[in-house]
């Protein structure tokens, strides 16, 4: 297994990973499935492919990814209003809009925003660290000061990973923990 830059041919597989690591309800609710893919995957691969990396198996199939918007303000201005207009999942839209308001208050110190997911059978093999290392190197090369993300409060493995990696807990809102990592 190795980590490499994202390629457009990886798009379908990253969408599959995104859904496989989300709440099981995504398979019962088409609007929620659409929301999850729009919110946590599609913007990044379509608009920010140079800061997207995949962990691949021996067949060069993606088994995990880290995707990032290096300028949170651009993500927020370009994409979030569009998402709120097109989404059929209004409860999630409102909750996530509020969370993004909070994230926006940290954007000066942590201007990049990331998501990371691995198929469960590929977790705890060091791939998360390799993905994060690749992303942070790319962000440093772009002179990005810091990166942030939100993680479900009850996601014990995820929160433990961010803490172990060196992220700082910035706050908490509506069942999510906000993490930040300074690059400069």
């Amino acid at each position: 297994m190795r980590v490499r830059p994202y390629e457009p041919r990886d798009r379908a597989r990253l969408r599959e990973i995104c859904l496989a690591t989300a709440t099981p309800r995504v398979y019962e609710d088409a609007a929620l499935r659409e929301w999850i893919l729009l919110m946590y995957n599609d913007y990044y691969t379509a608009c920010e492919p140079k800061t997207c990396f995949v962990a691949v198996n021996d067949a060069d199939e993606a088994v995990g990814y880290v995707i990032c918007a290096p300028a949170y303000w651009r993500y927020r201005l370009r994409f979030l209003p569009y998402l709120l207009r097109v989404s059929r999942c209004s409860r999630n839209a409102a909750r996530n809009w509020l969370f993004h308001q909070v994230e926006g208050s940290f954007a000066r110190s942590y201007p990049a925003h990331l998501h990371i997911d691995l198929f469960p059978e590929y977790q705890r093999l060091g791939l998360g660290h390799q993905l994060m290392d690749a992303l942070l190197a790319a962000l440093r090369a772009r002179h990005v000061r810091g990166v942030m993300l939100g993680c479900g409060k009850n996601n014990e493995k995820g929160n433990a990973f961010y803490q172990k990696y060196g992220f700082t807990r910035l706050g908490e809102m509506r069942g999510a923990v906000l993490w930040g990592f300074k690059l400069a």
Side-chain angles (χ1 to χ4, degrees), residues 109-124:
S109 297
Y110 305 95
H113 187 268
L114 75 85
H115 294 288
I116 183 170
D117 281 310
L118 288 156
F119 278 134
E121 61 269 27
Y122 290 94
Q123 295 173 5
R124 299 193 176 276

Side-chain angles (χ1 to χ4, degrees), residues 64-107:
Y65 62 81
V66 63
I67 53 182
C68 180
Y72 177 80
W73 62 268
R74 186 171 55 225
Y75 163 77
R76 189 169 165 186
L77 290 174
R78 272 191 195 169
F79 185 68
L80 288 178
Y82 164 78
L83 179 61
L84 291 170
R85 278 194 318 275
V86 302
S87 177
R88 296 177 293 150
C89 197
S90 61
R91 195 173 103 204
N92 277 337
R95 187 187 77 219
N96 280 295
W97 179 254
L98 287 172
F99 190 71
H100 280 284
Q101 297 297 332
V102 171
E103 286 180 331
S105 68
F106 292 102

Side-chain angles (χ1 to χ4, degrees), residues 1-12:
M1 290 180 284
R2 64 187 174 91
V3 171
R4 64 165 170 76
Y6 167 81
E7 298 172 6
R9 67 183 172 99
D10 299 318
R11 184 176 187 272

Side-chain angles (χ1 to χ4, degrees), residues 52 63 170-171 181:
C52 297
V63 298
L170 301 175
F181 191 94

Side-chain angles (χ1 to χ4, degrees), residues 14 18 20 32 42 46 62 64 76 78 84 110 122 125-126 135 137-138 147 149 157 161 163 173 177:
L14 268 60
C18 182
L32 179 60
D42 293 354
R76 189 169 165 186
R78 272 191 195 169
L84 291 170
Y110 305 95
Y122 290 94
L125 300 175
L135 173 63
V147 62
L149 67 106
K157 287 195 283 185
F161 170 79
Q163 184 173 13
M173 181 183 168
V177 178

